[in-house]
């Protein structure tokens, strides 16, 4: 079967769910609790930075297309060894992150079934296996599945939130003062909503006419994400400003006016769909990264194999084995979801930070250079909140690859000198 490439609609469907992520469920209550009614201004500011981030990595994926995604741009900007560092960060993040995400999905699935004999950890394993089954299909099939889930998430949240705004008695005032530190803390919370756009480059070879498809997909995806985020955040503020902070701090109240008693199961379903979308995107991206690294001789060559659907099946199987090992550690309580999230977030941030620094070096646009500086400072600031053990590991690995890069440069200079003589 010939591999079918996807257009901007399916690429958008692949991006929207993961970039919205569990943040669209967790962040509106958390940011409102921190910033009150000023939270909506934090959302607007953060979406502005998210637009810069999206445009940067959309342009980057056109400038340097390839299965490796961000590491290719890092190689162009800083050299092969720093590319390998970026690839390792991304790979380590995806070794741990999906188990945390499927563990969360398993928890919500158990709540939906309301049956204690369905162990949430076994449900998490079932979800993980389901994701891997979907990823063995062609990119067109994966895109259609992701588009269906993204459509369900977007339509449900927007319709429920708008219905709430028009039917529930609420208010929006700015009578209370807010401190700079509280507003800054709300921005810090919202920075997690930026992560995800950097993965688009990993799918740059899977789309039709990338020079048209990727920019259109970025614009459509960002527009929908911005509309959903602002609508949900404002609706949450609308009902809580009037009724106080004693109400349910989940998003279920936003859907109650339309769906009644079904609101909690629907929120659970949306959360599960968001988790599955996220895992689909990142595992699919890192399987392409592994195959590309193997093709270039940096990993065993047998990992570069792709089947008739252009799926890197051996890379997927290797990832599946890693995830089973991590799942066993999670199942036996050696690793908690919080620990898995902390590890994955730190490495995702490192990969995104290298990507932003690559943009700073590669792009001539003042707009992108300023955006890159702002994002790099903020990502580095967030990264410093990671545990000391993870930070030490990141520093040691980074120093080692920087040393390798300098060594390669010196060897290259020596070869050039010998050649000139």
């Amino acid at each position: 079967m010939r591999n079918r490439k996807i257009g901007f609609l399916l690429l958008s469907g692949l991006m929207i769910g993961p970039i919205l992520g569990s943040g669209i469920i967790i962040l509106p209550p958390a940011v409102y609790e921190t910033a009150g009614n000023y939270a909506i201004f934090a959302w607007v500011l953060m979406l502005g930075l998210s637009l810069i981030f999206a445009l940067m990595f959309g342009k980057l994926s056109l400038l340097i297309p390839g299965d490796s995604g961000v590491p290719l741009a890092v190689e162009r900007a800083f050299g092969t060894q720093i590319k390998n560092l970026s690839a390792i960060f991304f790979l380590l993040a995806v070794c741990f992150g999906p188990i945390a995400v499927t563990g969360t999905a398993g928890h919500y699935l158990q709540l939906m079934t309301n049956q204690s004999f369905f162990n949430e950890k076994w449900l998490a394993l079932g979800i993980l296996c389901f994701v891997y089954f979907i990823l063995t299909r062609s990119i067109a099939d994966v895109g259609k599945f992701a588009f269906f889930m993204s459509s369900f998430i977007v339509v449900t949240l927007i319709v429920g939130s708008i219905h709430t705004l028009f039917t529930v008695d609420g208010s929006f005032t700015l009578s209370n003062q807010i401190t700079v530190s509280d507003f800054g803390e709300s921005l810090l919370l919202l920075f997690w909503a930026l992560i995800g756009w950097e993965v688009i480059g990993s799918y740059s070879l899977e789309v039709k006419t990338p020079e048209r498809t990727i920019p259109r997909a970025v614009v459509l995806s960002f527009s929908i994400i911005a509309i959903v985020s602002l609508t949900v955040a404002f609706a949450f503020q609308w009902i809580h400003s009037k009724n106080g902070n004693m109400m349910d701090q989940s998003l279920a109240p936003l859907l109650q006016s339309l769906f009644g008693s079904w609101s909690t199961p629907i929120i659970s379903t949306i959360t599960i769909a968001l988790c599955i979308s996220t895992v689909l995107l990142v595992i699919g991206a890192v399987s392409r990264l592994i195959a590309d690294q193997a093709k270039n001789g940096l990993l065993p060559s047998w990992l570069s194999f792709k089947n008739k659907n252009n799926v890197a099946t051996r890379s997927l199987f290797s990832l599946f084995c890693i995830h089973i090992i991590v799942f066993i550690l999670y199942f036996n309580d050696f690793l908690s979801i919080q620990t898995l999230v902390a590890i994955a977030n730190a490495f995702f941030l490192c990969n995104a930070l290298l990507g932003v620094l690559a943009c700073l070096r590669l792009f001539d646009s003042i707009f992108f250079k300023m955006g890159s500086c702002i994002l790099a400072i903020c990502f580095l600031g967030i990264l410093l909140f990671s545990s000391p053990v993870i930070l030490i590991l990141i520093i040691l690995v980074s120093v080692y690859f920087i040393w390798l890069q300098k060594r390669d440069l010196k060897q290259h200079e020596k070869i050039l000198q010998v050649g000139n003589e």
Side-chain angles (χ1 to χ4, degrees), residues 287-307 312-315 318:
S287 69
R288 287 164 172 78
L289 170 63
I290 291 172
D292 193 53
Q293 294 286 82
K295 184 179 177 182
N296 293 325
L298 299 169
L299 290 173
S301 59
W302 63 273
L303 287 171
S304 65
F305 172 80
K306 292 184 178 182
N307 67 9
T313 49
R314 292 176 183 174
S315 296
S318 300

Side-chain angles (χ1 to χ4, degrees), residues 191-338:
F191 252 98
W192 295 113
L194 268 70
I195 304 298
W197 290 108
E198 71 275 13
V199 180
I200 193 171
S202 299
Y203 294 88
S204 57
L205 299 182
E206 303 278 4
V207 299
K208 305 170 185 173
T209 55
E211 64 278 1
R212 291 178 53 201
T213 299
I214 291 176
R216 292 170 71 186
V218 167
V219 171
L220 178 61
S221 300
F222 175 80
S223 300
I224 292 173
I225 289 166
I227 290 169
V228 172
S229 299
L230 292 176
T231 304
V232 169
F234 188 75
F236 186 88
Q237 292 183 204
W238 178 257
I239 58 176
H240 283 71
S241 296
K242 181 76 172 180
N243 299 292
N245 293 325
M246 298 305 292
M247 291 183 60
D248 185 352
Q249 290 298 301
S250 73
L251 293 191
L254 298 189
L255 306 182
Q256 280 176 353
S257 63
L258 184 60
F259 298 106
S261 61
W262 285 92
S263 59
T264 299
I266 288 173
I267 284 293
S268 295
T269 303
I270 288 173
T271 304
I272 293 167
L274 287 166
C275 290
I276 292 174
S277 297
T278 302
V279 175
L280 272 175
L281 182 76
V282 297
I283 293 179
V286 87
S287 69
R288 287 164 172 78
L289 170 63
I290 291 172
D292 193 53
Q293 294 286 82
K295 184 179 177 182
N296 293 325
L298 299 169
L299 290 173
S301 59
W302 63 273
L303 287 171
S304 65
F305 172 80
K306 292 184 178 182
N307 67 9
K308 60 185 179 181
N309 288 327
N310 202 36
V311 177
T313 49
R314 292 176 183 174
S315 296
L316 276 177
F317 179 73
S318 300
L319 278 173
F320 181 72
C321 293
I322 293 170
H323 285 145
I324 290 298
I325 294 170
V326 176
F327 173 79
I328 291 170
L329 295 173
Y330 162 65
F331 186 86
N332 290 285
D333 297 322
F334 290 109
L335 291 172
S336 66
I337 285 182
Q338 290 78 10

Side-chain angles (χ1 to χ4, degrees), residues 62-81:
L62 290 175
L63 180 66
I64 312 170
D67 285 338
S68 287
V70 168
L72 285 175
V74 173
E75 181 179 34
R76 178 79 64 88
F78 304 113
T80 301
Q81 296 298 343

Side-chain angles (χ1 to χ4, degrees), residues 34-35 38-39 41-42 45 178-188:
T34 303
Y38 290 88
F41 300 110
L45 180 58
I178 183 174
T179 65
V180 173
S181 62
D182 284 342
F183 192 74
E185 186 179 344
S186 68
L187 290 176
L188 187 64

Side-chain angles (χ1 to χ4, degrees), residues 15-128:
M15 299 297 296
I16 289 168
I19 294 172
L20 279 174
S22 57
I24 195 61
I25 305 295
I26 298 168
L27 289 176
V31 175
Y32 178 74
E33 185 178 352
T34 303
N37 277 338
Y38 290 88
I40 194 67
F41 300 110
W43 280 95
V44 171
L45 180 58
M46 196 51 54
L47 284 168
L49 289 175
S50 182
L51 176 59
I52 298 172
F53 197 49
L55 292 174
M56 268 197 308
F57 281 95
K59 185 175 181 180
L60 203 61
S61 65
L62 290 175
L63 180 66
I64 312 170
D67 285 338
S68 287
V70 168
L72 285 175
V74 173
E75 181 179 34
R76 178 79 64 88
F78 304 113
T80 301
Q81 296 298 343
I82 308 303
K83 171 200 173 183
N84 295 338
L85 175 63
S86 175
I88 286 172
F89 283 149
F90 191 31
L91 179 58
L92 287 173
V94 178
C95 285
F96 294 96
I99 301 302
V101 176
T102 54
T104 303
H107 173 70
Y108 278 93
L109 188 56
Q110 185 190 48
L111 291 177
M112 285 180 60
T113 58
N114 202 27
Q115 299 291 332
S116 58
F117 59 84
F118 284 118
N119 185 295
E120 65 180 59
K121 292 182 177 179
W122 286 116
L123 292 173
L125 180 60
I127 292 168
L128 182 68

